[in-house]
Amino acid sequence: MTIAVAVNAPAPTQAPVLDGLPLTVGLAGREVLLVGAGPVSARRAATFLEAGALVRVVAPRVDPAMADLAERAGGDLVVVARPFTPADLDSPWMVHVATGDPRVDAEVAALCEQRRIWCVTAGDSALGSARVPARTAVATPAGTVRIAVDSGDPRRSVRVGRHVARSLATAPAGLRARRRPATGWVALVGGSGDGDLLTVRARRLIHTADVLVVDGAADAALVAELDDDVEVLEAAADLPAARVAEMVATRYAAGHGVVRIAASATLADRARELEAGGVEFEVVPGVV
């Protein structure tokens, strides 16, 4: 899952935000050309390699960071130590330019435009047809949520992305995945279900879950934060513990994410019941 954030009110001294559509591009197995081999290009080359791209670098001088990355990447990163030529554009799907020479950057960007190749120009983003956003991520049991931010100012974009990630960690509404895997997950959370006494980890799990199981009545404020289709099960005092464990196991086997909230003093007992039912789970201690 990816959240794309465009901040559309840059300060007058910042590069304008590109008008266009935020887009996730599949680069696995596709060639990306980097013109320039300085520190900026080395960082961006690492990003493209993470996306599975085949990276080719053309530059008369190669920064040690790029040379080290090429040695570690093997055949997925090829560095050619010479100036750029138009023939370098015969095969890439995307081009990244960071030569430090505005004339060369502008020339490459213009040629990419003629050949309909997406081009990122690090020195002057207005020259290019694409821009790589600042990226961060929030891990959840249902998968990683990736956050991409473009504000026209790289440092500002990084700050905004970190703020969004922190906000999702503390108020993680909307993190549930609608497509379920073959097997679900279970978290055993210690506490009473009082939303004010839950840890950040517990809140994130609850807002990712499909099923919430609580001992006694659930905190109304906590339930109000959940999606309407989240199943809330109250394990009443007269309901056998084995029956509760069976309900959890059934939903786990169906691919649901389940959070079982239980009093901290009973966590060991609840854990043994889940183990007896063949359920894999993690334990999140409550606030002491």
Side-chain angles (χ1 to χ4, degrees):
M1 176 180 178
T2 301
I3 299 175
V5 180
V7 182
N8 292 310
T13 57
Q14 296 172 347
V17 176
L18 289 173
D19 290 332
L21 177 69
L23 186 67
T24 298
V25 179
L27 295 178
R30 297 187 170 105
E31 181 182 321
V32 175
L33 172 68
L34 277 71
V35 183
V40 172
S41 294
R43 292 194 296 271
R44 198 52 56 76
T47 298
F48 292 139
L49 287 171
E50 289 175 4
L54 303 176
V55 180
R56 185 162 56 92
V57 181
V58 174
R61 293 178 298 279
V62 179
D63 187 85
M66 182 69 81
D68 178 66
L69 182 62
E71 183 177 349
R72 290 185 282 112
D76 291 338
L77 173 56
V78 177
V79 178
V80 182
R82 61 161 173 76
F84 166 83
T85 68
D88 289 319
L89 299 181
D90 289 347
S91 55
W93 291 66
M94 178 181 291
V95 173
H96 178 277
V97 188
T99 66
D101 185 334
R103 292 174 299 178
V104 175
D105 289 358
E107 175 192 355
V108 175
L111 289 171
C112 286
E113 187 70 18
Q114 292 174 13
R115 300 197 184 194
R116 300 182 180 181
I117 301 172
W118 295 114
C119 181
V120 178
T121 51
D124 182 355
S125 60
L127 292 175
S129 54
R131 187 153 59 214
V132 178
R135 301 172 305 128
T136 186
V138 176
T140 79
T144 299
V145 177
R146 296 176 179 83
I147 301 163
V149 181
D150 180 23
S151 70
D153 177 342
R155 289 188 178 88
R156 185 187 187 205
S157 297
V158 169
R159 291 196 303 270
V160 172
R162 289 173 178 168
H163 173 74
V164 173
R166 287 194 298 268
S167 298
L168 285 174
T170 56
L175 291 183
R176 288 179 61 220
R178 301 297 178 174
R179 291 180 295 178
R180 298 191 179 96
T183 303
W185 55 269
V186 175
L188 185 56
V189 173
S192 64
D194 184 340
D196 292 334
L197 298 179
L198 292 169
T199 65
V200 171
R201 175 64 177 167
R203 291 187 66 85
R204 186 183 302 176
L205 289 167
I206 288 169
H207 282 277
T208 312
D210 304 298
V211 182
L212 178 64
V213 184
V214 295
D215 288 339
D219 183 343
L222 177 63
V223 173
E225 297 176 358
L226 305 179
D227 291 345
D228 292 340
D229 58 344
V230 173
E231 184 180 14
V232 179
L233 300 175
E234 296 180 356
D238 59 349
L239 188 64
R243 173 56 182 153
V244 178
E246 180 184 343
M247 292 190 296
V248 172
T250 299
R251 287 155 179 81
Y252 165 76
H256 295 261
V258 184
V259 170
R260 169 76 162 100
I261 300 178
S264 296
T266 68
L267 280 183
D269 292 334
R270 302 294 84 83
R272 283 191 289 270
E273 292 158 6
L274 293 174
E275 289 172 349
V279 174
E280 296 183 4
F281 59 93
E282 71 165 291
V283 176
V284 182
V287 176
V288 178

